[in-house]
Amino acid sequence: MKRVVKTIAIFLSALLLFSIGGCNRGGGDDGKKPAIADTNIVLAENGVSDYKIVIKGDASPADVFSAEELQTYIKRSTDAELPIVRETEGASLGDKVLSVGRTNLLQGSGVEVPYDEVGRDGFKIVRKGNTVYICGGLESGTAFGVFEFLHDQVGYEPYAADAIYYERHDKLFLKDFNKTDKPAIPARYMDGTMHTKDHDSSYRYRFVSGINPPAKYTSYEVDSTIVSEHSLATLVPRDKYKTEHPDCFHENQQPCLTNEWLFNTFLEEVGKRIEERPNATRIVIGQADYFTAWCDCAKCKAEWQTYGGTGYWIRFCNRVVEELEKKYADRHIVYEAFAYSITFDPPVDENGNLIDESCRPHEKLGIQLCTGLQFCHYHTFDDPNCAANVTAYAACKKWVELGVHHITCWGYSANYNHYLPFYDNFGMMQREIQLYRDWGCQNLFMEYISGSNMTSFDYLRCYLFGKLCWDPDVDMNELIDNFMQHYYLDVGDDMKDIFDTYRNYMAMQDAAGIHTGATGGMAQNFQAWSRNFVDSMLDKVNAVLDKCKALSDTERGEMLYNRILGERVCIMYAKLLSYNEYGYPLHELEGAIDQFEADVIATGTRSHQEGVPVANFIAEMRKKVYA
């Protein structure tokens, strides 16, 4: 019998969360995946279990983490603590086993988990008799298989590392597992908060990145990149070589791609990095950032006038691949040309035909599409009524139609001039990731609030991104509703109201023709918000914070207060930035700045825009007090 405590169990602990309902992916609620049937095998009853968790004798710390997560949430659900046992030669393990990773038991079971089938992060969960085998392509896949097993067995759903939902059971029957799953986007990562402070939530959202602590989560090299974006500038830096080679570096222009010295120097620098990282396999050939004009020497000008800017660029990239393959063919290197800014448009003419066969990407050259700059982030990329997106979407489709070796994507998910205020890309997120999947995207990096850790509804956006990258067709509205109830608990309805109020206001702005983008002319103009709107949102947030302080469970109230305080930072930033324009009393400005600074310190907020500490903003505001 299952005992799920609904109305009172959420008061039992501030961090070990129970709640009403769960996001039951795989449990049948979405109408797509049937529920996994129970067997008659008892996994745990009345706090007792005959099962043990088995890992290899030389299991890595990553597989130990997976086993410990399995142990922890079975215990929290049933009170039964399953021992974690390492395989040793000749040891008798019995048959009531949860096998985690590539154990000897797995090798002798007939259950095969080939990497070619599940990839790095996919997994299999298979029951044979009393034993369940959980194994991924690599260790991250095993961890995600453990998360899935727990989800199906006890409703485990991580809304954040400190907000994990699960059900309570007096008697728990083992499910009849025979499941294979893998993410729609094989490699996916989002920076910002997940990068700066919360690797634990990041991993439970099923992100995998080279910045994750390797000892805890992986023993393999996650970051396979030998040379990354803007590599032309980083490997042949202008400041270092301009005096010696002025013919390669003209003012306000890209380097000279037809210059033999520059080409050979770039090859030499790439070769050094290939030798330095013998296990890495990815090279991104990217132009220098910021410069939007090509070199205008006679030779380069003739090239880009004949082949177009991107054709000129692809011809250079093809030549790089050809030369590197002569020496490093056995390394099976994955090459990518960065389609960014002036190289975003494919090398085709006005009729959509390839300009010249030499402009076709090399058979081993993929394309990394940078979708952040060209697109409006309020409307879906393929919205035919969004003039900002029609041309950019057509360019992406044409890259796909060229049949390039593979596609990776670099998206944007923030306003890089103003990180903090509510950024409404929630209405296009799902379709964006569906398109990446349909384009065959192998690796998605979503650049977020880079270097910072605060924006409005931060964790909701990261949670949704993880879910959508795994399955882009999930019910996103259901995900949002569940997140609000399980992450914000007692004030979940209030936070959903704040979220909906923001989105309704943004819809009004959209009706007035305002787009939302990351930078430049399409950057979200939150300064068009009215004073009444800003005041009403601040009142709403303060009311929720007061409700948290009034909870009888003071520990729980403090936890929720700290979770929500960042929302006040975000709306107060909007108020302060337009303080004079809104007509607030100047004699109240100093107190408003003091409150904002105290909240910034309490939340540990780092930056208000890309690369700029929020302390700079506070200092600028204080100057106004004494102006």
Side-chain angles (χ1 to χ4, degrees), residues 6-58:
K6 292 180 180 287
T7 57
I8 63 171
I10 56 175
F11 296 96
L12 297 179
S13 171
L15 296 180
L16 309 181
L17 302 180
F18 307 88
S19 190
I20 301 174
C23 181
N24 199 11
R25 181 176 47 78
D29 288 354
D30 58 9
K32 296 177 183 178
K33 298 180 180 180
I36 301 175
D38 284 342
T39 66
N40 61 0
I41 304 167
V42 175
L43 179 58
E45 184 176 10
N46 296 326
V48 177
S49 176
D50 295 330
Y51 272 81
K52 57 179 68 73
I53 299 166
V54 174
I55 56 178
K56 291 181 67 175
D58 60 349

Side-chain angles (χ1 to χ4, degrees), residues 464-496:
L464 292 173
F465 178 76
K467 287 291 189 181
L468 291 168
C469 283
W470 196 275
D471 180 0
D473 298 323
V474 293
D475 185 335
M476 187 164 160
N477 289 327
E478 182 180 359
L479 292 179
I480 292 172
D481 288 343
N482 283 333
F483 183 92
M484 293 296 179
Q485 295 303 316
H486 296 123
Y487 185 73
Y488 295 116
L489 299 171
D490 307 71
V491 292
D493 289 342
D494 303 278
M495 294 305 294
K496 182 61 162 54

Side-chain angles (χ1 to χ4, degrees), residues 190-193 371-373 375-378 410-426 428-429 432 446-452 454-456 458 461 516-520 522-524 526 608-610:
M190 196 173 196
D191 69 352
T193 303
T371 57
L373 291 178
F375 283 101
C376 161
H377 295 167
Y378 184 81
W410 181 322
Y412 292 173
S413 192
N415 179 344
Y416 291 92
N417 298 321
H418 301 286
Y419 277 162
L420 298 175
F422 184 82
Y423 186 77
D424 193 7
N425 66 334
F426 289 96
M428 56 76 70
M429 283 179 67
E432 178 185 13
M446 185 61 70
E447 187 171 358
Y448 188 33
I449 47 173
S450 302
S452 192
M454 181 63 66
T455 188
S456 183
D458 182 9
R461 184 178 281 104
T516 293
T519 60
M522 280 195 296
Q524 176 181 308
F526 71 90
H608 67 294
Q609 64 180 250
E610 187 175 19

Side-chain angles (χ1 to χ4, degrees), residues 523-540:
Q524 176 181 308
N525 185 15
F526 71 90
Q527 288 167 277
W529 294 354
S530 72
R531 172 176 170 172
N532 286 341
F533 175 69
V534 171
D535 286 345
S536 68
M537 296 308 294
L538 186 57
D539 288 344
K540 283 178 179 287

Side-chain angles (χ1 to χ4, degrees), residues 7-18 488-491 544-562:
T7 57
I8 63 171
I10 56 175
F11 296 96
L12 297 179
S13 171
L15 296 180
L16 309 181
L17 302 180
F18 307 88
Y488 295 116
L489 299 171
D490 307 71
V491 292
V544 176
L545 291 172
D546 288 342
K547 186 178 287 190
C548 293
K549 289 191 290 187
L551 288 178
S552 58
D553 185 334
T554 56
E555 182 180 359
R556 182 186 184 83
E558 182 180 2
M559 176 196 71
L560 290 173
Y561 184 94
N562 291 333

Side-chain angles (χ1 to χ4, degrees), residues 62 109 112 192 248 252 281 350 355 373-374 387 447 452 496 538 604:
S109 69
E112 296 183 354
C248 287
N252 301 318
T281 58
E350 63 274 11
I355 291 175
L373 291 178
Q374 276 77 7
E447 187 171 358
S452 192
K496 182 61 162 54
L538 186 57

Side-chain angles (χ1 to χ4, degrees), residues 1-3 39-51 74-75 77-82 96 153-154 168-174:
M1 181 180 80
K2 179 170 73 174
R3 172 173 60 91
T39 66
N40 61 0
I41 304 167
V42 175
L43 179 58
E45 184 176 10
N46 296 326
V48 177
S49 176
D50 295 330
Y51 272 81
I74 289 178
K75 181 176 182 180
S77 175
T78 68
D79 293 331
E81 184 166 2
L82 277 59
K96 290 198 171 183
Q153 278 290 167
V154 301
R168 289 281 298 171
H169 297 264
D170 288 328
K171 186 173 185 178
L172 182 63
F173 289 97
L174 188 67

Side-chain angles (χ1 to χ4, degrees), residues 22-281:
C23 181
N24 199 11
R25 181 176 47 78
D29 288 354
D30 58 9
K32 296 177 183 178
K33 298 180 180 180
I36 301 175
D38 284 342
T39 66
N40 61 0
I41 304 167
V42 175
L43 179 58
E45 184 176 10
N46 296 326
V48 177
S49 176
D50 295 330
Y51 272 81
K52 57 179 68 73
I53 299 166
V54 174
I55 56 178
K56 291 181 67 175
D58 60 349
S60 67
D63 277 350
V64 172
F65 164 81
S66 297
E68 290 174 345
E69 190 83 344
L70 185 58
Q71 180 189 57
T72 295
Y73 284 93
I74 289 178
K75 181 176 182 180
R76 289 180 182 175
S77 175
T78 68
D79 293 331
E81 184 166 2
L82 277 59
I84 297 173
V85 178
R86 290 179 182 263
E87 289 178 319
T88 56
E89 188 174 351
S92 176
L93 297 172
D95 66 343
K96 290 198 171 183
V97 165
L98 305 180
S99 168
V100 175
R102 294 190 180 275
T103 60
N104 294 331
L105 282 174
L106 176 72
Q107 305 309 318
S109 69
V111 177
E112 296 183 354
V113 190
Y115 187 92
D116 288 347
E117 181 180 355
V118 298
R120 182 189 71 183
D121 296 340
F123 54 80
K124 285 192 176 185
I125 310 172
V126 178
R127 181 190 70 85
K128 296 190 79 171
N130 291 326
T131 299
V132 177
Y133 302 94
I134 308 171
C135 184
L138 292 179
E139 292 159 334
S140 53
T142 295
F144 303 154
V146 165
F147 299 165
E148 190 81 0
F149 173 88
L150 287 168
H151 176 88
D152 291 331
Q153 278 290 167
V154 301
Y156 172 98
E157 182 67 18
Y159 296 97
D162 63 351
I164 297 177
Y165 165 73
Y166 55 91
E167 301 164 344
R168 289 281 298 171
H169 297 264
D170 288 328
K171 186 173 185 178
L172 182 63
F173 289 97
L174 188 67
K175 299 286 184 182
D176 189 14
F177 285 100
N178 186 10
K179 174 179 282 193
T180 301
D181 202 3
K182 63 180 179 179
I185 309 295
R188 61 244 158 261
Y189 191 70
M190 196 173 196
D191 69 352
T193 303
M194 299 298 104
H195 183 154
T196 58
K197 73 174 184 179
D198 198 350
H199 304 300
D200 293 334
S201 291
S202 174
Y203 202 54
R204 288 173 174 85
Y205 293 158
R206 305 191 190 191
F207 301 166
V208 180
S209 166
I211 62 93
N212 281 330
K216 183 173 184 180
Y217 295 127
T218 62
S219 64
Y220 58 87
E221 188 171 31
V222 174
D223 183 4
S224 63
T225 303
I226 301 168
V227 176
S228 60
E229 298 74 15
H230 306 306
S231 54
L232 194 61
T234 57
L235 300 191
V236 192
R238 177 180 295 261
D239 291 345
K240 181 177 180 179
Y241 292 113
K242 182 179 179 181
T243 302
E244 184 179 352
H245 296 276
D247 52 332
C248 287
F249 302 99
H250 301 169
E251 288 298 322
N252 301 318
Q253 295 174 7
Q254 290 286 333
C256 180
L257 300 186
T258 60
N259 184 283
E260 287 303 304
W261 170 84
L262 182 135
F263 179 78
N264 290 326
T265 302
F266 182 74
L267 279 183
E268 181 182 348
E269 293 297 324
V270 173
K272 289 178 184 177
R273 285 153 181 79
I274 291 173
E275 300 295 341
E276 289 168 359
R277 300 199 60 193
N279 296 318
T281 58

